[in-house]
């Protein structure tokens, strides 16, 4: 249920079925050109489609003109309280201006900004914040914060329509995840305009990422939301971009760069997987292709649920194995696993995206796997598979039956196991 209408922020389409756009906001003083441009370049490199800069003073407007000219991605000017600054930002060439009609000084001043946006052909973002709702909605806010947010947004949309202006998107921000979900669901049913999603003041990188993933992920999974911003308490805006991408990648809404899969580890782990996963993640940042790379902490599952991965490693105390698409490639010493994994990945690209397999090495790896695999072990992965199969069987008689450990067969080695 993407928005029916589409706008363009610079060259980036928002809404109307366009890919969900990733945006962030610079943390620098906008007037500090050097620092702001450095951060914009970093967020663009991290994958931001759009960047927003705060414009609270005249010196920021002065810098804005240069920023717009030099930025590799479209720039949104973020304005509060001062409609004159909004008009100046439009004149400075901002690709979009964000205003909150609730704090910009009333409908007349909003109308002045809209008139100017029409003249410059610039879209606006109409932002509603739970912390700055119009006075007449304060009682409603107390009774029903969701209804108050939605009412404020709808009233601002109606104002735009009275002003014969349709080149805008809408955001409703709240620090509450349930309120963000509920209000955006309601608003998506009531208006056809693109929606910008975010959880305001979400928190630190850790808690803020989780809150945003839950809130935005729920809405995006419903098809609601056309552009997203993750708000984190960090000076490094590129971290917000990375989190946004992980959410979009997890929902398969967009692809960017490799996908890393790693088991949660358990008591079967026999090597320092924390370090290995961190190193694999770090090195994968150098690749643009959306390959899937898996890291398993032990070989008792065989390749198991990682068989679809383009490349993967599974380790044991001294030796480990590299595999590709469910097939062993080679056995290597544990301390060489990461280096050898990346050699195989580079070989794959050098051969024109073809897995290069040495049959002798593959046979040796298969043998190692057969020795280390243990299909009788009740691993987290097998328990999950059994639960999923049981749930399917309960819901539908045609679905697969639960895994039976007394007749398990390794799909890689073909080896049969028996518990009795
Ligand atoms: S059993 Fe599963 S979770 Fe435990 S270390 Fe092995 S692969 Fe990781």
């Amino acid at each position: 249920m993407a928005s029916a209408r589409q706008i363009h922020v610079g060259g980036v389409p928002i809404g109307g079925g366009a890919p969900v756009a990733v945006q962030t906001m610079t943390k620098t003083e906008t007037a500090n050109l050097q620092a702001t441009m450095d951060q914009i370049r970093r967020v663009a490199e991290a994958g931001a489609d759009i960047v927003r800069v705060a414009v609270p003073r005249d010196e920021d407007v002065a810098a804005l003109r240069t920023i717009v000219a030099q930025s590799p991605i479209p720039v949104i000017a973020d304005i509060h309280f001062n409609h004159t600054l909004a008009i100046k930002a439009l004149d400075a060439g901002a690709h979009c201006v964000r205003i909150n009609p609730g704090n910009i000084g009333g409908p007349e001043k909003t109308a002045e900004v809209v008139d100017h946006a029409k003249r410059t052909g610039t879209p606006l973002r109409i932002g509603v914040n739970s912390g700055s709702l119009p006075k007449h909605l304060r009682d409603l806010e107390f009774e029903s914060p969701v209804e108050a947010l939605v009412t404020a947004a709808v009233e601002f949309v109606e104002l735009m329509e009275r002003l014969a202006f349709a080149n805008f998107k809408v955001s409703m921000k709240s620090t509450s995840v349930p309120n963000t979900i509920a209000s955006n669901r309601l608003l998506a049913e009531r208006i056809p305009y693109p929606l910008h999603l975010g959880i305001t003041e979400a928190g630190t990188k850790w808690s803020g990422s989780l809150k945003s993933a839950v809130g935005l992920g729920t809405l995006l999974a419903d098809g609601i939301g056309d552009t997203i911003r993750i708000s984190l308490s960090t000076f490094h805006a590129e971290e917000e971009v990375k989190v946004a991408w992980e959410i979009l990648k997890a929902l398969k809404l967009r692809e960017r760069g490799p996908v890393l899969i790693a088991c949660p580890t358990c008591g079967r782990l026999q090597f320092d997987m924390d370090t290995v996963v961190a190193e694999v993640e770090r090195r994968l940042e150098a690749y643009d292709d959306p390959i899937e790379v898996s890291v398993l902490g032990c070989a008792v599952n065989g390749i198991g649920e990682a068989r679809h991965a383009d490349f993967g490693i599974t380790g044991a105390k001294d030796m480990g194995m590299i595999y590709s698409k469910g097939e062993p490639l080679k056995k290597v010493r544990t301390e060489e696993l990461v280096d050898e994994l990346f050699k195989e990945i580079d070989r794959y690209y050098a051969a024109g995206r073809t897995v290069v397999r040495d049959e002798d090495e593959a046979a040796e790896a298969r043998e190692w796997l057969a020795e280390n695999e243990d299909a009788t072990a009740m691993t987290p992965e097998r328990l999950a598979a059994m639960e999923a199969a049981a749930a399917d069987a309960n819901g539908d008689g045609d679905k697969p039956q639960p895994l039976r450990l007394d007749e398990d067969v390794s799909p890689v080695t073909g080896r049969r196991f028996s518990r009795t």
Side-chain angles (χ1 to χ4, degrees):
M1 194 179 24
S3 70
R5 287 182 184 263
Q6 185 173 82
I7 64 168
H8 283 81
V9 174
V12 178
I14 309 282
V20 178
V22 172
Q23 57 178 287
T24 185
M25 191 166 175
T26 52
K27 320 273 183 160
T28 55
E29 204 180 318
T30 302
N32 184 340
L33 256 181
Q34 180 73 44
T36 303
M37 283 312 305
D38 284 351
Q39 195 160 65
I40 289 177
R41 288 193 189 96
R42 279 200 300 277
V43 301
E45 205 165 296
D49 299 304
I50 300 167
V51 66
R52 183 157 46 114
V53 299
V55 182
R57 301 160 309 170
D58 276 331
E59 47 268 49
D60 300 310
V61 179
L64 185 62
R65 195 176 292 278
T66 311
I67 291 168
V68 168
Q70 293 183 0
S71 172
I73 51 178
V75 179
I76 301 177
D78 189 80
I79 312 280
H80 286 278
F81 307 117
N82 188 334
H83 83 295
T84 311
L85 279 177
I87 290 169
K88 287 179 182 172
L90 288 165
D91 285 337
H95 298 101
C96 177
V97 172
R98 180 264 174 114
I99 58 167
N100 177 349
N103 70 23
I104 205 77
E108 294 75 24
K109 288 183 175 165
T110 303
E112 278 184 50
V113 178
V114 167
D115 272 352
H116 216 76
K118 281 186 197 168
R119 276 197 286 278
T120 55
T122 311
L124 297 178
R125 172 181 145 198
I126 307 304
V128 180
N129 268 17
S130 57
S132 56
L133 290 176
K135 282 198 191 79
H136 71 279
L137 294 174
R138 299 273 158 83
D139 285 346
L140 181 60
E141 187 184 10
F142 192 68
E143 286 163 30
S144 169
V146 168
E147 196 53 43
L149 263 178
V150 176
T151 304
V154 170
E155 285 179 1
F156 292 149
V157 167
E158 286 169 354
L159 173 62
M160 294 295 126
E161 290 177 341
R162 280 200 300 280
L163 296 169
F165 186 69
N167 191 13
F168 66 92
K169 57 185 170 146
V170 182
S171 67
M172 284 183 308
K173 297 278 192 83
S174 164
T175 53
S176 156
V177 172
N179 288 356
T180 301
I181 294 170
S183 55
N184 277 287
R185 278 181 172 157
L186 278 176
L187 190 64
E189 283 175 5
R190 294 190 193 172
I191 65 167
Y193 302 98
L195 292 182
H196 165 115
L197 302 184
I199 308 287
T200 197
E201 295 150 18
T204 60
K205 188 175 168 192
W206 170 245
S207 62
S209 298
L210 283 170
K211 279 162 80 174
S212 301
V214 172
L216 273 51
T218 302
L219 289 163
L220 290 166
D222 283 354
I224 296 170
D226 304 288
T227 176
I228 60 171
R229 188 254 170 134
I230 311 299
S231 304
L232 299 179
S233 295
T234 166
F235 183 74
H236 304 286
E238 58 272 24
E239 298 297 328
E240 296 186 350
V241 177
K242 288 181 193 168
V243 174
W245 273 103
E246 287 306 317
I247 294 171
L248 296 180
K249 281 159 69 174
L251 289 167
K252 307 264 186 230
L253 287 173
R254 288 183 73 181
E255 281 188 337
R256 178 186 166 86
V259 176
L260 175 63
I261 302 160
C263 85
T265 80
C266 69
R268 296 169 186 85
L269 182 70
Q270 287 183 307
F271 70 104
D272 176 12
M273 185 153 141
D274 264 8
T275 310
V276 166
V277 172
E279 179 62 8
V280 170
E281 188 173 44
R282 188 188 67 75
R283 293 207 205 174
L284 282 175
E285 284 183 8
Y287 295 78
D288 294 329
D289 225 22
I291 50 166
E292 206 167 86
V293 175
S294 154
V295 181
L296 298 177
C298 75
V300 297
N301 287 317
I303 295 168
E305 289 173 5
R307 59 184 48 262
H308 53 280
D310 294 294
F311 286 94
I313 54 180
T314 176
K317 198 171 173 51
D318 304 314
M319 300 300 285
M321 184 189 77
I322 298 173
Y323 52 87
S324 172
K325 291 281 180 198
E327 281 296 317
L329 278 182
K330 58 158 71 156
K331 173 179 110 173
V332 292
R333 285 152 49 86
T334 307
E335 62 267 31
E336 291 164 2
L337 266 176
V338 177
D339 283 344
E340 290 297 324
L341 168 70
F342 281 91
K343 273 189 203 163
E344 292 301 330
I345 292 174
D346 290 341
R347 195 170 291 155
Y348 164 79
Y349 285 117
R353 288 192 168 82
T354 304
V355 177
V356 182
R357 193 182 305 275
D358 177 315
E359 284 312 324
D360 291 342
E361 286 184 333
E364 195 186 20
R366 229 173 261 124
E367 204 175 304
W368 177 86
L369 184 63
E371 284 163 14
N372 286 275
E373 202 175 9
D374 177 5
T376 66
M378 293 294 281
T379 63
E381 293 83 359
R382 290 205 177 102
L383 285 169
M386 288 168 74
E387 282 168 9
D392 278 349
N394 286 340
D396 180 345
D398 295 335
K399 294 270 172 65
Q401 294 301 305
L403 184 71
R404 290 184 52 191
L405 289 180
D406 59 348
E407 54 181 40
D408 202 0
V409 175
S410 162
V412 175
T413 62
R415 182 171 142 184
R416 194 174 192 88
F417 297 92
S418 172
R419 301 191 81 194
T420 53

